[in-house]
Amino acid sequence: MDPNEPGHYPACPLLSVTGLYCPGCGGLRSAHAFVHGDLAAALQSNAPAVVGYLLFAVLWAVWAVRAARGLPVRFDPRPAQLWAFGAVLAVFTVVRNLPFGHWLHP
């Protein structure tokens, strides 16, 4: 199902109640566009999600190669990296809800 067609998927609860876009708003449309090769639409729907898809693909490939070679597989992010990730999502969420951040709306 195309998530751009209304009526197939429920609306974001935060958007429905408050009118504010959460960091995940547009994520399904972004994934759909990304899988169908429309990178521009994917980035416009939710840019951090596209970065997440690419990061996931790289980490999965590293995991697969290491597992095939019998090497230990471990992903242990440092607290500073987790805080930075959270800060980027927080800034993205705030900016996309400000008047000048309209270009980040899904």
Side-chain angles (χ1 to χ4, degrees):
M1 307 298 292
D2 185 359
N4 294 309
E5 295 179 20
H8 294 291
Y9 298 98
C12 172
L14 182 69
L15 181 62
S16 298
V17 173
T18 66
L20 297 173
Y21 294 103
C22 74
C25 279
L28 186 59
R29 284 176 287 225
S30 175
H32 182 268
F34 186 80
V35 168
H36 286 88
D38 191 355
L39 189 58
L43 286 168
Q44 198 281 325
S45 293
N46 194 323
V50 174
V51 173
Y53 308 145
L54 297 173
L55 182 63
F56 175 78
V58 168
L59 289 176
W60 183 84
V62 168
W63 170 81
V65 168
R66 290 182 66 85
R69 292 181 179 173
L71 299 172
V73 179
R74 190 167 180 198
F75 177 68
D76 192 19
R78 295 186 175 105
Q81 293 168 326
L82 295 175
W83 279 102
F85 174 73
V88 166
L89 282 183
V91 168
F92 171 73
T93 303
V94 170
V95 170
R96 85 186 313 199
N97 286 295
L98 293 174
F100 64 85
H102 65 86
W103 55 278
L104 292 173
H105 292 178

Coordinates of all heavy atoms in Angstrom, one line a residue:
M1 N 0.8 -1.2 0.0 CA 0.0 0.0 0.0 C 0.9 1.2 0.0 O 1.9 1.3 0.7 CB -0.9 0.0 1.2 CG -1.7 -1.2 1.5 SD -2.9 -1.6 0.4 CE -4.2 -0.5 0.3
D2 N 0.5 2.2 -0.7 CA 1.2 3.5 -0.8 C 0.8 4.3 0.4 O -0.4 4.7 0.5 CB 0.9 4.2 -2.1 CG 1.7 5.5 -2.3 OD1 2.5 5.8 -1.4 OD2 1.5 6.1 -3.3
P3 N 1.7 4.7 1.3 CA 1.4 5.5 2.5 C 1.0 6.9 2.1 O 0.5 7.6 3.0 CB 2.7 5.4 3.3 CG 3.8 5.1 2.4 CD 3.1 4.3 1.3
N4 N 1.2 7.3 0.9 CA 0.8 8.7 0.5 C -0.7 8.8 0.2 O -1.2 9.9 0.1 CB 1.6 9.1 -0.8 CG 3.0 9.3 -0.5 OD1 3.4 9.9 0.5 ND2 3.9 8.6 -1.2
E5 N -1.4 7.6 0.0 CA -2.8 7.6 -0.2 C -3.5 7.6 1.2 O -3.3 6.7 2.0 CB -3.2 6.4 -1.0 CG -2.7 6.4 -2.4 CD -3.1 5.1 -3.1 OE1 -4.1 4.4 -2.7 OE2 -2.4 4.8 -4.1
P6 N -4.4 8.6 1.4 CA -5.1 8.6 2.7 C -6.0 7.5 3.0 O -6.5 6.9 2.0 CB -5.8 10.0 2.7 CG -6.0 10.3 1.2 CD -4.8 9.6 0.5
G7 N -6.1 7.1 4.3 CA -7.1 6.1 4.6 C -6.5 4.7 4.9 O -7.2 3.9 5.4
H8 N -5.2 4.5 4.5 CA -4.7 3.2 4.7 C -3.9 3.0 6.0 O -3.9 1.9 6.5 CB -3.7 2.9 3.5 CG -4.4 2.8 2.2 ND1 -5.2 1.7 1.8 CD2 -4.3 3.6 1.1 CE1 -5.6 1.9 0.6 NE2 -5.1 3.0 0.1
Y9 N -3.4 4.0 6.5 CA -2.6 4.0 7.8 C -3.1 5.0 8.7 O -3.6 6.1 8.3 CB -1.1 4.2 7.5 CG -0.5 3.1 6.6 CD1 -0.4 3.4 5.2 CD2 -0.2 1.9 7.1 CE1 0.1 2.4 4.4 CE2 0.3 0.9 6.2 CZ 0.5 1.2 4.9 OH 1.0 0.2 4.1
P10 N -3.0 4.7 10.0 CA -3.5 5.8 11.0 C -2.5 7.0 11.0 O -1.4 6.8 10.7 CB -3.5 5.0 12.3 CG -2.5 3.9 12.1 CD -2.6 3.5 10.7
A11 N -3.1 8.1 11.4 CA -2.3 9.3 11.5 C -1.4 9.2 12.8 O -1.8 8.5 13.7 CB -3.2 10.5 11.6
C12 N -0.4 10.0 12.8 CA 0.5 10.1 14.0 C -0.4 10.6 15.2 O -1.0 11.7 15.0 CB 1.6 11.0 13.7 SG 2.7 11.4 15.2
P13 N -0.4 10.0 16.3 CA -1.2 10.4 17.5 C -0.7 11.8 17.9 O -1.6 12.7 18.3 CB -0.9 9.4 18.5 CG -0.4 8.2 17.9 CD 0.3 8.7 16.6
L14 N 0.6 12.1 18.0 CA 1.0 13.4 18.4 C 0.6 14.5 17.5 O 0.1 15.6 17.9 CB 2.6 13.4 18.5 CG 3.2 14.7 19.1 CD1 2.8 15.0 20.5 CD2 4.7 14.8 18.9
L15 N 0.7 14.2 16.2 CA 0.2 15.2 15.2 C -1.3 15.4 15.3 O -1.8 16.5 15.2 CB 0.6 14.8 13.8 CG 0.2 15.7 12.6 CD1 0.9 17.0 12.8 CD2 0.6 15.0 11.3
S16 N -2.0 14.4 15.5 CA -3.5 14.5 15.6 C -3.9 15.3 16.8 O -4.9 16.1 16.7 CB -4.1 13.1 15.7 OG -3.8 12.3 14.5
V17 N -3.3 15.1 17.9 CA -3.7 15.7 19.1 C -3.1 17.2 19.2 O -3.8 18.1 19.6 CB -3.3 14.9 20.4 CG1 -3.5 15.6 21.7 CG2 -4.0 13.6 20.3
T18 N -1.8 17.4 18.9 CA -1.2 18.7 19.1 C -0.9 19.5 17.9 O -0.7 20.7 18.0 CB 0.1 18.5 19.9 OG1 1.0 17.8 19.0 CG2 0.0 17.7 21.2
G19 N -0.9 18.8 16.7 CA -0.5 19.5 15.5 C 1.0 19.6 15.3 O 1.4 20.3 14.4
L20 N 1.7 19.0 16.2 CA 3.2 19.0 16.1 C 3.7 17.8 15.4 O 3.2 16.7 15.7 CB 3.8 19.2 17.5 CG 3.5 20.4 18.3 CD1 4.0 20.3 19.7 CD2 4.0 21.6 17.6
Y21 N 4.8 17.9 14.6 CA 5.4 16.8 14.0 C 6.4 16.1 14.9 O 7.3 16.8 15.5 CB 6.1 17.2 12.7 CG 5.2 17.7 11.6 CD1 5.0 19.0 11.4 CD2 4.4 16.8 10.9 CE1 4.2 19.5 10.4 CE2 3.6 17.2 9.9 CZ 3.4 18.6 9.7 OH 2.6 19.0 8.7
C22 N 6.3 14.8 15.1 CA 7.3 14.1 15.9 C 8.5 13.8 15.0 O 8.4 13.9 13.8 CB 6.7 12.9 16.6 SG 6.4 11.5 15.4
P23 N 9.6 13.3 15.6 CA 10.7 12.9 14.8 C 10.4 11.8 13.8 O 11.1 11.6 12.8 CB 11.8 12.5 15.8 CG 11.3 12.6 17.1 CD 9.9 13.1 17.0
G24 N 9.4 11.0 14.1 CA 9.1 9.9 13.2 C 8.1 10.2 12.1 O 7.8 9.4 11.3
C25 N 7.4 11.4 12.2 CA 6.4 11.7 11.2 C 7.0 11.7 9.8 O 8.0 12.3 9.6 CB 5.8 13.1 11.5 SG 4.6 13.1 12.8
G26 N 6.4 11.0 8.9 CA 6.8 10.9 7.6 C 7.8 9.7 7.4 O 8.3 9.5 6.3
G27 N 8.0 9.0 8.4 CA 9.0 7.8 8.3 C 8.5 6.7 7.4 O 9.3 6.2 6.6
L28 N 7.2 6.4 7.4 CA 6.7 5.4 6.5 C 6.7 5.8 5.1 O 7.1 5.1 4.2 CB 5.3 5.0 6.9 CG 4.6 3.8 6.2 CD1 5.5 2.6 6.4 CD2 3.2 3.6 6.7
R29 N 6.3 7.1 4.8 CA 6.4 7.6 3.5 C 7.9 7.7 3.0 O 8.2 7.4 1.8 CB 5.8 9.0 3.4 CG 4.3 9.0 3.4 CD 3.8 10.4 3.5 NE 4.1 10.9 4.8 CZ 3.2 11.6 5.5 NH1 2.1 11.9 5.0 NH2 3.5 12.0 6.7
S30 N 8.8 8.0 3.9 CA 10.2 8.0 3.6 C 10.7 6.6 3.2 O 11.4 6.5 2.2 CB 11.0 8.6 4.8 OG 12.4 8.5 4.5
A31 N 10.3 5.6 4.0 CA 10.7 4.3 3.7 C 10.2 3.8 2.4 O 10.9 3.2 1.6 CB 10.3 3.3 4.8
H32 N 8.9 4.1 2.1 CA 8.3 3.7 0.8 C 9.1 4.4 -0.4 O 9.4 3.7 -1.3 CB 6.8 4.2 0.8 CG 6.1 3.8 -0.4 ND1 6.0 4.6 -1.5 CD2 5.5 2.6 -0.7 CE1 5.3 4.0 -2.4 NE2 5.0 2.8 -2.0
A33 N 9.3 5.7 -0.2 CA 10.0 6.4 -1.3 C 11.5 5.8 -1.5 O 12.0 5.7 -2.6 CB 10.1 7.9 -1.1
F34 N 12.1 5.6 -0.4 CA 13.5 5.1 -0.4 C 13.6 3.7 -1.1 O 14.4 3.5 -1.9 CB 14.0 5.0 1.0 CG 15.5 4.6 1.1 CD1 16.5 5.5 0.9 CD2 15.9 3.3 1.4 CE1 17.8 5.2 1.0 CE2 17.2 3.0 1.5 CZ 18.2 3.9 1.3
V35 N 12.7 2.8 -0.8 CA 12.6 1.5 -1.3 C 12.3 1.5 -2.8 O 12.8 0.7 -3.6 CB 11.6 0.6 -0.6 CG1 11.4 -0.7 -1.4 CG2 12.1 0.3 0.8
H36 N 11.6 2.5 -3.2 CA 11.2 2.7 -4.7 C 12.2 3.6 -5.4 O 12.0 3.9 -6.6 CB 9.8 3.2 -4.8 CG 8.8 2.2 -4.5 ND1 8.3 2.0 -3.2 CD2 8.1 1.3 -5.3 CE1 7.4 1.0 -3.2 NE2 7.3 0.6 -4.5
G37 N 13.3 3.9 -4.8 CA 14.4 4.7 -5.4 C 14.2 6.1 -5.6 O 15.0 6.8 -6.3
D38 N 13.2 6.7 -4.9 CA 13.0 8.2 -4.9 C 13.7 8.8 -3.7 O 13.0 9.1 -2.7 CB 11.5 8.5 -5.0 CG 11.2 9.9 -5.3 OD1 12.1 10.7 -5.4 OD2 10.0 10.2 -5.5
L39 N 15.0 9.0 -3.8 CA 15.7 9.6 -2.7 C 15.3 11.0 -2.3 O 15.3 11.3 -1.1 CB 17.2 9.5 -3.0 CG 18.2 9.8 -1.9 CD1 18.0 8.9 -0.7 CD2 19.6 9.8 -2.4
A40 N 15.0 11.8 -3.3 CA 14.5 13.2 -3.0 C 13.3 13.2 -2.2 O 13.2 13.9 -1.2 CB 14.3 14.0 -4.3
A41 N 12.3 12.3 -2.5 CA 11.0 12.3 -1.8 C 11.3 11.7 -0.4 O 10.7 12.1 0.6 CB 10.0 11.5 -2.5
A42 N 12.2 10.7 -0.3 CA 12.5 10.1 1.0 C 13.1 11.1 1.9 O 12.8 11.2 3.1 CB 13.4 8.9 0.8
L43 N 14.1 11.9 1.4 CA 14.7 12.9 2.2 C 13.7 14.0 2.6 O 13.8 14.5 3.8 CB 15.9 13.5 1.5 CG 17.1 12.7 1.4 CD1 18.1 13.3 0.4 CD2 17.8 12.5 2.7
Q44 N 12.8 14.3 1.8 CA 11.8 15.4 2.1 C 10.8 14.9 3.1 O 10.4 15.6 4.0 CB 11.1 15.8 0.8 CG 10.3 17.1 0.9 CD 9.0 17.1 1.7 OE1 8.3 16.1 1.6 NE2 8.7 18.1 2.4
S45 N 10.5 13.6 3.1 CA 9.5 13.1 4.1 C 10.1 13.0 5.5 O 9.5 13.3 6.5 CB 9.1 11.7 3.6 OG 8.3 11.8 2.5
N46 N 11.4 12.5 5.6 CA 12.0 12.4 6.9 C 13.5 12.1 6.6 O 13.9 10.9 6.5 CB 11.4 11.2 7.7 CG 11.8 11.3 9.2 OD1 12.9 11.6 9.5 ND2 10.9 11.0 10.0
A47 N 14.3 13.1 6.7 CA 15.7 13.0 6.4 C 16.5 12.1 7.4 O 17.3 11.3 7.0 CB 16.4 14.4 6.3
P48 N 16.3 12.3 8.7 CA 17.0 11.4 9.6 C 16.7 9.9 9.4 O 17.5 9.1 9.7 CB 16.5 11.9 11.0 CG 16.1 13.3 10.8 CD 15.5 13.3 9.4
A49 N 15.5 9.6 9.0 CA 15.1 8.2 8.7 C 16.0 7.7 7.6 O 16.4 6.5 7.7 CB 13.6 8.1 8.4
V50 N 16.2 8.5 6.5 CA 17.1 8.0 5.4 C 18.5 7.7 5.9 O 19.1 6.7 5.6 CB 17.1 9.0 4.3 CG1 18.0 8.6 3.2 CG2 15.7 9.2 3.7
V51 N 19.0 8.6 6.8 CA 20.3 8.3 7.4 C 20.3 7.0 8.2 O 21.2 6.2 8.1 CB 20.7 9.5 8.2 CG1 22.0 9.2 9.0 CG2 20.9 10.8 7.4
G52 N 19.2 6.8 8.9 CA 19.0 5.6 9.6 C 19.0 4.3 8.8 O 19.6 3.3 9.1
Y53 N 18.3 4.4 7.6 CA 18.3 3.3 6.7 C 19.7 2.9 6.2 O 20.1 1.8 6.2 CB 17.4 3.6 5.5 CG 16.0 4.1 5.7 CD1 15.4 5.0 4.9 CD2 15.3 3.6 6.9 CE1 14.1 5.5 5.1 CE2 14.0 4.1 7.1 CZ 13.5 5.0 6.2 OH 12.2 5.5 6.4
L54 N 20.4 4.0 5.9 CA 21.8 3.7 5.4 C 22.7 3.2 6.5 O 23.5 2.3 6.2 CB 22.3 5.0 4.8 CG 21.6 5.6 3.6 CD1 22.1 6.9 3.2 CD2 21.7 4.6 2.4
L55 N 22.6 3.8 7.7 CA 23.4 3.3 8.8 C 23.0 1.8 9.1 O 23.9 1.0 9.4 CB 23.1 4.2 10.0 CG 23.9 3.8 11.3 CD1 25.4 4.0 11.0 CD2 23.5 4.7 12.4
F56 N 21.7 1.5 9.1 CA 21.3 0.1 9.4 C 21.9 -0.8 8.3 O 22.4 -1.9 8.7 CB 19.8 0.0 9.3 CG 19.3 -1.4 9.5 CD1 19.3 -2.0 10.7 CD2 18.9 -2.1 8.4 CE1 18.9 -3.3 10.8 CE2 18.5 -3.4 8.5 CZ 18.4 -4.0 9.7
A57 N 21.9 -0.4 7.0 CA 22.4 -1.3 6.0 C 23.9 -1.5 6.2 O 24.4 -2.6 6.0 CB 22.2 -0.6 4.6
V58 N 24.7 -0.5 6.6 CA 26.1 -0.6 6.8 C 26.4 -1.5 8.0 O 27.2 -2.4 7.9 CB 26.8 0.8 7.0 CG1 28.2 0.6 7.5 CG2 26.7 1.5 5.7
L59 N 25.7 -1.3 9.1 CA 25.9 -2.1 10.3 C 25.5 -3.5 10.0 O 26.1 -4.5 10.5 CB 25.1 -1.5 11.5 CG 25.6 -0.2 12.0 CD1 24.7 0.3 13.1 CD2 27.0 -0.4 12.6
W60 N 24.4 -3.8 9.3 CA 24.0 -5.1 9.0 C 25.1 -5.8 8.1 O 25.4 -7.0 8.3 CB 22.7 -5.1 8.2 CG 22.2 -6.5 8.0 CD1 21.5 -7.3 8.9 CD2 22.4 -7.3 6.8 NE1 21.3 -8.6 8.3 CE2 21.8 -8.6 7.0 CE3 23.0 -7.0 5.6 CZ2 21.8 -9.5 6.0 CZ3 23.0 -8.0 4.6 CH2 22.4 -9.3 4.8
A61 N 25.6 -5.1 7.1 CA 26.7 -5.7 6.3 C 27.9 -6.0 7.1 O 28.5 -7.1 6.9 CB 27.0 -4.7 5.1
V62 N 28.3 -5.2 8.0 CA 29.5 -5.4 8.9 C 29.2 -6.6 9.7 O 30.0 -7.5 9.9 CB 29.8 -4.2 9.7 CG1 30.8 -4.5 10.8 CG2 30.3 -3.1 8.8
W63 N 28.0 -6.7 10.3 CA 27.6 -7.8 11.1 C 27.6 -9.1 10.3 O 28.2 -10.1 10.8 CB 26.2 -7.6 11.7 CG 25.7 -8.9 12.3 CD1 25.9 -9.3 13.6 CD2 24.8 -9.8 11.8 NE1 25.3 -10.5 13.8 CE2 24.6 -10.8 12.7 CE3 24.2 -9.9 10.5 CZ2 23.8 -11.9 12.5 CZ3 23.4 -11.0 10.3 CH2 23.2 -12.0 11.2
A64 N 27.1 -9.1 9.1 CA 27.0 -10.3 8.3 C 28.4 -10.8 7.9 O 28.7 -12.0 8.0 CB 26.2 -10.1 7.0
V65 N 29.3 -9.9 7.6 CA 30.7 -10.3 7.2 C 31.4 -10.9 8.4 O 32.1 -11.9 8.3 CB 31.4 -9.1 6.6 CG1 32.9 -9.4 6.5 CG2 30.9 -8.7 5.2
R66 N 31.3 -10.2 9.6 CA 32.0 -10.6 10.8 C 31.4 -12.0 11.2 O 32.2 -12.8 11.7 CB 31.9 -9.6 11.9 CG 32.8 -8.3 11.5 CD 32.7 -7.3 12.6 NE 33.3 -7.8 13.9 CZ 34.6 -7.7 14.1 NH1 35.5 -7.2 13.3 NH2 35.1 -8.2 15.3
A67 N 30.1 -12.1 11.2 CA 29.5 -13.4 11.6 C 29.9 -14.5 10.7 O 30.2 -15.7 11.1 CB 28.0 -13.3 11.6
A68 N 30.0 -14.3 9.4 CA 30.5 -15.3 8.4 C 31.9 -15.7 8.6 O 32.3 -16.9 8.4 CB 30.3 -14.8 7.0
R69 N 32.7 -14.8 9.1 CA 34.1 -15.1 9.4 C 34.3 -15.7 10.8 O 35.5 -16.0 11.1 CB 35.0 -13.8 9.2 CG 35.1 -13.4 7.8 CD 35.9 -12.1 7.7 NE 36.0 -11.7 6.3 CZ 36.6 -10.6 5.9 NH1 37.1 -9.8 6.8 NH2 36.6 -10.3 4.6
G70 N 33.3 -15.7 11.6 CA 33.4 -16.3 12.9 C 34.0 -15.3 13.9 O 34.4 -15.7 15.0
L71 N 34.0 -14.0 13.6 CA 34.5 -13.0 14.5 C 33.4 -12.5 15.4 O 32.2 -12.6 15.0 CB 35.0 -11.8 13.6 CG 36.2 -12.1 12.7 CD1 36.5 -10.9 11.8 CD2 37.4 -12.5 13.5
P72 N 33.8 -12.0 16.6 CA 32.7 -11.5 17.5 C 32.0 -10.3 16.9 O 32.6 -9.5 16.2 CB 33.5 -11.1 18.7 CG 34.9 -11.0 18.3 CD 35.1 -11.9 17.1
V73 N 30.7 -10.3 17.1 CA 29.9 -9.2 16.6 C 29.4 -8.4 17.8 O 28.7 -8.9 18.7 CB 28.7 -9.7 15.8 CG1 27.8 -8.6 15.3 CG2 29.2 -10.6 14.7
R74 N 29.8 -7.1 17.8 CA 29.4 -6.3 19.0 C 29.2 -4.9 18.6 O 30.0 -4.3 17.8 CB 30.5 -6.4 20.0 CG 30.1 -5.8 21.3 CD 31.0 -6.2 22.4 NE 30.6 -5.6 23.6 CZ 31.3 -5.4 24.7 NH1 32.6 -5.8 24.7 NH2 30.8 -4.8 25.8
F75 N 28.1 -4.3 19.0 CA 27.8 -2.9 18.8 C 27.6 -2.2 20.1 O 26.6 -2.5 20.8 CB 26.6 -2.7 17.8 CG 26.3 -1.2 17.6 CD1 27.1 -0.4 16.9 CD2 25.1 -0.7 18.1 CE1 26.8 0.9 16.7 CE2 24.8 0.6 18.0 CZ 25.6 1.4 17.2
D76 N 28.5 -1.4 20.6 CA 28.5 -0.9 21.9 C 28.7 0.7 21.8 O 29.8 1.1 22.0 CB 29.5 -1.5 22.8 CG 29.3 -1.2 24.3 OD1 28.2 -0.7 24.6 OD2 30.3 -1.4 25.0
P77 N 27.6 1.4 21.5 CA 27.8 2.9 21.4 C 28.2 3.5 22.8 O 27.7 3.1 23.8 CB 26.5 3.4 20.9 CG 25.5 2.4 21.3 CD 26.3 1.1 21.3
R78 N 29.0 4.5 22.7 CA 29.4 5.2 23.9 C 28.2 6.2 24.3 O 27.4 6.6 23.5 CB 30.6 6.0 23.7 CG 31.8 5.2 23.4 CD 33.1 6.0 23.3 NE 34.2 5.1 23.2 CZ 34.9 4.9 22.0 NH1 34.5 5.6 20.9 NH2 35.9 4.1 22.0
P79 N 28.2 6.5 25.6 CA 27.1 7.4 26.1 C 27.1 8.8 25.3 O 26.0 9.3 25.0 CB 27.4 7.7 27.5 CG 28.1 6.4 28.0 CD 28.9 6.0 26.8
A80 N 28.3 9.3 25.0 CA 28.3 10.5 24.2 C 27.7 10.4 22.8 O 27.0 11.3 22.4 CB 29.8 11.0 24.1
Q81 N 27.9 9.2 22.2 CA 27.3 9.0 20.9 C 25.7 8.9 21.0 O 25.0 9.5 20.2 CB 27.8 7.7 20.3 CG 29.2 7.8 19.9 CD 29.8 6.5 19.6 OE1 29.5 5.4 20.1 NE2 30.8 6.5 18.6
L82 N 25.2 8.3 22.1 CA 23.8 8.2 22.3 C 23.2 9.6 22.6 O 22.1 10.0 22.1 CB 23.5 7.3 23.4 CG 23.8 5.8 23.1 CD1 23.6 5.0 24.4 CD2 23.1 5.3 22.0
W83 N 23.9 10.4 23.4 CA 23.5 11.8 23.6 C 23.5 12.6 22.4 O 22.6 13.4 22.1 CB 24.3 12.4 24.7 CG 23.9 12.0 26.1 CD1 24.6 11.1 26.9 CD2 22.8 12.5 26.8 NE1 23.9 11.0 28.1 CE2 22.8 11.8 28.1 CE3 21.8 13.4 26.6 CZ2 21.8 12.1 29.1 CZ3 20.8 13.6 27.6 CH2 20.9 13.0 28.8
A84 N 24.5 12.5 21.6 CA 24.6 13.2 20.3 C 23.4 12.8 19.4 O 22.8 13.7 18.7 CB 25.9 13.0 19.6
F85 N 23.1 11.5 19.3 CA 22.0 11.1 18.5 C 20.7 11.7 19.0 O 19.9 12.2 18.2 CB 21.9 9.5 18.5 CG 20.7 9.0 17.8 CD1 20.7 8.9 16.5 CD2 19.7 8.4 18.6 CE1 19.6 8.4 15.8 CE2 18.6 7.9 18.0 CZ 18.5 7.9 16.6
G86 N 20.5 11.7 20.3 CA 19.3 12.2 20.9 C 19.2 13.7 20.6 O 18.1 14.3 20.3
A87 N 20.3 14.4 20.7 CA 20.3 15.9 20.5 C 20.0 16.2 19.0 O 19.3 17.1 18.7 CB 21.7 16.4 20.8
V88 N 20.5 15.4 18.1 CA 20.2 15.6 16.7 C 18.7 15.5 16.4 O 18.1 16.3 15.7 CB 21.1 14.7 15.8 CG1 20.5 14.7 14.3 CG2 22.5 15.1 15.8
L89 N 18.1 14.4 17.0 CA 16.7 14.2 16.8 C 15.9 15.3 17.5 O 14.9 15.7 16.9 CB 16.3 12.9 17.4 CG 16.6 11.6 16.5 CD1 16.0 10.4 17.2 CD2 16.0 11.8 15.1
A90 N 16.3 15.8 18.6 CA 15.6 16.9 19.3 C 15.7 18.2 18.5 O 14.7 18.8 18.3 CB 16.2 17.1 20.7
V91 N 16.8 18.5 18.0 CA 17.0 19.7 17.1 C 16.1 19.6 15.9 O 15.4 20.5 15.5 CB 18.5 20.0 16.8 CG1 18.6 21.0 15.7 CG2 19.2 20.4 18.1
F92 N 16.2 18.4 15.3 CA 15.3 18.2 14.1 C 13.9 18.4 14.4 O 13.1 19.0 13.6 CB 15.6 16.7 13.5 CG 14.7 16.3 12.5 CD1 14.8 16.8 11.2 CD2 13.7 15.4 12.7 CE1 13.9 16.4 10.2 CE2 12.8 14.9 11.7 CZ 13.0 15.5 10.4
T93 N 13.4 17.8 15.5 CA 12.0 17.9 15.9 C 11.6 19.4 16.1 O 10.6 19.8 15.7 CB 11.7 17.1 17.1 OG1 12.1 15.7 16.9 CG2 10.3 17.1 17.5
V94 N 12.5 20.1 16.8 CA 12.1 21.5 17.1 C 12.1 22.3 15.8 O 11.2 23.1 15.6 CB 13.1 22.1 18.1 CG1 13.0 23.6 18.2 CG2 12.9 21.5 19.5
V95 N 13.1 22.2 15.0 CA 13.2 23.0 13.7 C 12.1 22.7 12.8 O 11.5 23.6 12.2 CB 14.6 22.8 13.1 CG1 14.6 23.4 11.7 CG2 15.7 23.3 13.9
R96 N 11.7 21.4 12.7 CA 10.6 21.1 11.8 C 9.3 21.6 12.2 O 8.3 21.7 11.4 CB 10.6 19.6 11.5 CG 9.8 18.7 12.5 CD 9.9 17.2 12.3 NE 9.7 16.8 10.9 CZ 9.3 15.6 10.6 NH1 9.1 14.7 11.5 NH2 9.2 15.3 9.3
N97 N 9.1 22.0 13.5 CA 7.9 22.6 14.0 C 7.9 24.1 14.1 O 6.9 24.7 14.4 CB 7.6 22.0 15.3 CG 7.1 20.5 15.2 OD1 6.0 20.3 14.7 ND2 7.8 19.6 15.7
L98 N 9.0 24.7 13.7 CA 9.1 26.2 13.7 C 8.7 26.7 12.3 O 8.8 25.9 11.3 CB 10.5 26.6 14.0 CG 10.9 26.4 15.4 CD1 12.4 26.7 15.6 CD2 10.1 27.1 16.4
P99 N 8.2 27.9 12.2 CA 7.8 28.4 10.9 C 8.8 28.3 9.8 O 8.5 28.0 8.6 CB 7.4 29.9 11.2 CG 7.1 29.9 12.6 CD 8.0 28.9 13.2
F100 N 10.1 28.6 10.1 CA 11.1 28.5 9.0 C 11.5 27.1 8.7 O 12.2 26.9 7.7 CB 12.3 29.4 9.4 CG 13.1 28.9 10.6 CD1 14.0 27.9 10.5 CD2 12.8 29.4 11.8 CE1 14.7 27.4 11.6 CE2 13.5 29.0 12.9 CZ 14.5 27.9 12.8
G101 N 11.0 26.1 9.4 CA 11.4 24.7 9.1 C 10.3 24.0 8.4 O 10.3 22.8 8.3
H102 N 9.5 24.7 7.7 CA 8.4 24.1 6.9 C 8.9 23.2 5.9 O 8.2 22.2 5.5 CB 7.5 25.2 6.3 CG 8.2 26.0 5.3 ND1 8.3 25.6 3.9 CD2 8.9 27.2 5.4 CE1 9.0 26.5 3.3 NE2 9.3 27.5 4.1
W103 N 10.1 23.3 5.4 CA 10.6 22.4 4.4 C 10.9 21.1 4.9 O 11.2 20.1 4.2 CB 11.9 23.1 3.7 CG 12.9 23.4 4.7 CD1 13.0 24.6 5.4 CD2 14.1 22.7 5.0 NE1 14.1 24.5 6.2 CE2 14.8 23.4 6.0 CE3 14.6 21.5 4.6 CZ2 16.0 22.9 6.5 CZ3 15.8 21.0 5.1 CH2 16.5 21.7 6.1
L104 N 10.9 20.9 6.3 CA 11.1 19.6 6.9 C 9.8 18.9 7.2 O 9.8 17.8 7.7 CB 11.9 19.8 8.2 CG 13.4 20.2 8.0 CD1 14.0 20.5 9.4 CD2 14.2 19.2 7.3
H105 N 8.7 19.5 6.9 CA 7.4 18.8 7.1 C 7.2 17.7 6.1 O 7.6 17.8 5.0 CB 6.2 19.8 6.9 CG 6.2 20.9 7.9 ND1 5.2 21.9 7.8 CD2 6.9 21.2 9.0 CE1 5.4 22.7 8.8 NE2 6.4 22.3 9.5
P106 N 6.7 16.6 6.6 CA 6.4 15.4 5.7 C 5.3 15.7 4.7 O 4.5 16.6 4.9 CB 6.1 14.3 6.6 CG 5.7 14.9 7.9 CD 6.3 16.2 8.0

